[in-house]
Amino acid sequence: MTQLEDAYEKKKTESQAKEVQLPCEAGVGFKKRKGISTPIERAFGVEIRDQLDQEIARMFYTGGLPFNLARNPHYVRAFQFAANNKIDGYVPPGYNKLRTTLLQKEKDNVHKLFEPLRSTWKEKGVTIVSDGWSDPIRKPLINFMATSGNGSLFLKAVNCFGEVKDRFFIAELMKEVINEIGHENVVQIITENAANCKAAGEIIESQFPHIYWKPCVVHTLNLALKNICSPRNVETNELTYEQCRWIKEVHEEAFAIKNFITNHNMRLSIFTKFTPLRLLSVADTRFASIIVMLKRLKLIKRGLQAMVISEEWSSYRLDDTEKANSVKEYILNDDWWDKVTYILSFTGPIYEMIRACDTDKPLARWAKNNTPLHCLAHSLHPRYYSDAWLMEDSTRCAPHRDGEISQERMKCFRRLFPNGDEYGRVLDEYAMFSMKSGPFEDLTSISKMATMEPKNWTPKDDVKMWDVGGDAFDSMEDVGFLEFADLSLDEPDFENDLIIDN
């Protein structure tokens, strides 16, 4: 071996020896063996972190806290702040401080965060939206929200337990909210169209002539759908009941199928082997819940039929033979499926309209809502002045050339601008807008008239879905707890939300 090779082997041997040597007392010049920690690390590192983890875990377990709290960014941020800042003698806030001073501070902070939104109300106007809900302990609530072009803001929920929710009571609540916002900033109030809400709206219109009351379009359509699919045999509804009670029977039979499968774990387990989609048990607090369920049943028709003729189904149905035979008969009956198809076919336009309207997008559906305010909205939509839209149908005409729309628009202008000078300026501005003159005559604006939504001329907001009480919302009475308030009517959103009825 050469001298150079000998030196290399010696260096290699020394290096390997250092890798396996335990640290000396001074802990200098040696690498520790992998997985072994020093006494200092054991005392002040791993053990303390482990102990802190256990204390936090016990807080969750003994306090009944949901594990989702661990995903809250403020939960993580609080411990990171404590770790990065040495705060000697710090004691976490107690029960009284959390529910008094800290709560008030956070309320003030939230108000500051929403101040930029509130500052736009005077310029863009506000729509007040109200609906009736029930909280988790079944107390009846009436909620109020303010929505404008820049977004929506929850205002308050009023506990109405023990109150008679007549027109005067509801009108007083509306007045309080109007005064809080500033009556000059409010354009309209939207509620469902029960008699007490409509009467309350008339009181508001008499006291604030520039404010309109409007019924919720989605709720109105939903009531029509309910009257068709679930008619009640009352004196004022005998004709509808006679013509549509077969639809109610199909509806009840569909629920029987769903309940028989989902109310038993073994039957539900068999069902999942024949279809990847779930059976929807849609809460009554959803709009068009009947149609949503029937659409899902039709979608999984083949899987249901394969299930009820399988050996596994036949061998397990013995626990309730009568219901099992009834369910099997419906599922294999072509006439029954034809009825389902027919129901979905003729209710389709209403259902699609509900889906289109169940949003906070601006919707100027003049033919469906021929009121002064809706006619004004239609008149201020650039698309209806574009050549592209007008040439789609020879019967169309621009809003300023339509006599009926113009008459209702003028009513709205007079109510919104009672001052003579303001009214004159508004008429001049509308004339320039409708004739594409003045500031509206540039080629870019004219070329975008047919394609751009009105809100897109300013910064666009995210679209959120509205649900004013769902199928159970016939008045401001107790409508039931809204389990799925954050879902839209798009069926895929329901696939992961299966309810097993008790």
Side-chain angles (χ1 to χ4, degrees):
M1 180 179 293
T2 66
Q3 190 174 6
L4 182 62
E5 291 174 334
D6 185 46
Y8 171 76
E9 288 296 327
K10 183 178 179 182
K11 186 71 175 176
K12 181 178 178 182
T13 303
E14 291 176 354
S15 177
Q16 291 173 343
K18 289 179 180 179
E19 291 288 343
V20 298
Q21 276 184 308
L22 293 175
C24 64
E25 291 182 5
V28 178
F30 295 94
K31 291 184 178 180
K32 65 178 182 293
R33 191 187 306 170
K34 193 173 184 179
I36 302 298
S37 60
T38 66
I40 294 177
E41 289 174 323
R42 288 197 302 271
F44 297 99
V46 177
E47 291 183 5
I48 285 186
R49 292 171 184 267
D50 217 20
Q51 185 176 349
L52 180 58
D53 284 347
Q54 291 176 10
E55 290 295 334
I56 295 173
R58 291 188 188 106
M59 175 182 68
F60 275 81
Y61 307 148
T62 59
L65 301 177
F67 295 138
N68 278 337
L69 176 61
R71 297 174 178 172
N72 188 310
H74 298 288
Y75 163 84
V76 177
R77 201 173 300 151
F79 285 98
Q80 288 177 339
F81 186 86
N84 295 333
N85 296 272
K86 182 176 175 60
I87 311 176
D88 294 332
Y90 174 75
V91 178
Y95 173 82
N96 288 327
K97 190 174 182 180
L98 283 169
R99 63 193 292 266
T100 54
T101 56
L102 287 179
L103 180 61
Q104 185 60 45
K105 284 183 179 180
E106 187 58 25
K107 181 180 178 182
D108 295 339
N109 180 53
V110 170
H111 277 285
K112 289 180 182 178
L113 293 176
F114 282 109
E115 191 55 40
L117 176 60
R118 291 175 180 269
S119 66
T120 66
W121 287 354
K122 184 175 182 179
E123 179 184 357
K124 297 195 172 183
V126 177
T127 292
I128 298 173
V129 182
S130 178
D131 67 343
W133 284 13
S134 294
D135 69 4
I137 59 174
R138 315 303 299 181
K139 287 191 299 187
L141 304 174
I142 295 181
N143 294 330
F144 290 92
M145 294 185 65
T147 179
S148 66
N150 281 29
S152 303
L153 174 62
F154 176 80
L155 297 174
K156 65 178 178 180
V158 181
N159 182 2
C160 302
F161 182 75
E163 299 286 351
V164 178
K165 290 180 278 294
D166 58 14
R167 57 179 176 170
F168 302 107
F169 176 76
I170 296 174
E172 283 300 315
L173 295 182
M174 291 178 176
K175 286 169 60 178
E176 289 178 8
V177 174
I178 290 171
N179 290 328
E180 178 184 336
I181 293 174
H183 68 86
E184 67 280 0
N185 298 327
V186 179
V187 177
Q188 62 177 338
I189 295 179
I190 297 177
T191 71
E192 49 85 26
N193 58 2
N196 56 345
C197 293
K198 183 177 181 180
E202 291 173 350
I203 294 175
I204 294 299
E205 287 187 336
S206 67
Q207 297 184 12
F208 302 95
H210 65 285
I211 297 178
Y212 286 85
W213 170 84
K214 290 290 169 285
C216 173
V217 176
V218 183
H219 180 246
T220 302
L221 293 171
N222 190 66
L223 290 179
L225 197 60
K226 281 188 66 178
N227 201 39
I228 295 171
C229 297
S230 296
R232 292 179 293 177
N233 189 13
V234 295
E235 185 177 347
T236 58
N237 203 38
E238 289 183 357
L239 180 60
T240 302
Y241 181 79
E242 186 63 30
Q243 297 292 328
C244 299
R245 63 180 177 180
W246 67 272
I247 302 176
K248 183 178 181 180
E249 292 170 0
V250 173
H251 171 209
E252 292 171 349
E253 291 160 358
F255 263 97
I257 293 173
K258 183 271 300 180
N259 288 336
F260 185 75
I261 296 173
T262 60
N263 283 1
H264 198 288
N265 288 337
M266 186 57 70
R267 291 194 288 264
L268 188 59
S269 176
I270 297 172
F271 166 78
T272 57
K273 296 178 181 178
F274 290 90
T275 175
L277 297 177
R278 300 187 181 189
L279 262 177
L280 293 179
S281 181
V282 188
D284 284 341
T285 49
R286 298 306 310 164
F287 284 135
S289 60
I290 299 169
I291 303 302
V292 172
M293 190 187 68
L294 290 180
K295 285 171 70 71
R296 174 50 58 89
L297 278 179
K298 187 178 179 183
L299 192 62
I300 61 175
K301 173 184 174 182
R302 300 304 177 193
L304 289 171
Q305 291 179 331
M307 176 188 69
V308 296
I309 63 175
S310 67
E311 293 183 3
E312 193 172 2
W313 177 268
S314 300
S315 64
Y316 194 76
R317 68 178 191 175
L318 297 177
D319 62 325
D320 200 336
T321 304
E322 184 177 351
K323 285 186 178 180
N325 287 335
S326 178
V327 167
K328 182 176 181 179
E329 182 180 348
Y330 292 138
I331 291 176
L332 297 179
N333 188 331
D334 289 338
D335 289 339
W336 190 84
W337 286 107
D338 287 342
K339 291 179 182 179
V340 171
T341 301
Y342 182 66
I343 293 171
L344 295 177
S345 176
F346 80 81
T347 60
I350 302 177
Y351 175 75
E352 291 302 323
M353 182 65 76
I354 289 176
R355 291 186 62 187
C357 293
D358 189 26
T359 173
D360 65 353
K361 282 184 177 179
L363 295 170
R365 303 186 182 278
W366 170 80
K368 301 292 182 182
N369 300 280
N370 187 16
T371 66
L373 199 59
H374 284 102
C375 287
L376 177 60
H378 178 79
S379 298
L380 296 180
H381 198 311
R383 177 179 303 155
Y384 304 132
Y385 298 86
S386 67
D387 292 337
W389 183 81
L390 292 171
M391 293 174 64
E392 287 180 4
D393 190 331
S394 60
T395 63
R396 289 178 177 174
C397 65
H400 68 295
R401 300 185 184 279
D402 186 299
E404 188 175 359
I405 292 179
S406 296
Q407 182 179 357
E408 297 301 309
R409 180 181 64 249
M410 297 305 291
K411 290 180 183 177
C412 195
F413 277 153
R414 290 190 188 98
R415 284 185 60 176
L416 293 176
F417 304 99
N419 180 277
D421 292 339
E422 287 185 345
Y423 180 68
R425 288 197 299 271
V426 167
L427 293 182
D428 290 339
E429 289 184 9
Y430 177 73
M432 289 188 289
F433 169 74
S434 60
M435 300 302 294
K436 306 172 192 174
S437 63
F440 306 100
E441 66 181 351
D442 67 283
L443 295 179
T444 302
S445 298
I446 294 174
S447 65
K448 294 290 186 179
M449 293 178 73
T451 56
M452 285 188 69
E453 293 293 333
K455 283 181 71 174
N456 289 353
W457 295 97
T458 57
K460 186 177 180 181
D461 300 304
D462 293 334
V463 173
K464 297 178 177 60
M465 307 306 293
W466 295 95
D467 191 333
V468 189
D471 288 351
F473 189 27
D474 292 327
S475 69
M476 284 293 189
E477 300 300 324
D478 181 7
V479 298
F481 181 55
L482 299 188
E483 295 91 343
F484 299 134
D486 59 337
L487 295 180
S488 75
L489 282 173
D490 293 325
E491 291 85 356
D493 290 337
F494 287 99
E495 289 186 8
N496 297 323
D497 293 274
L498 175 68
I499 305 175
I500 305 301
D501 293 339
N502 292 324

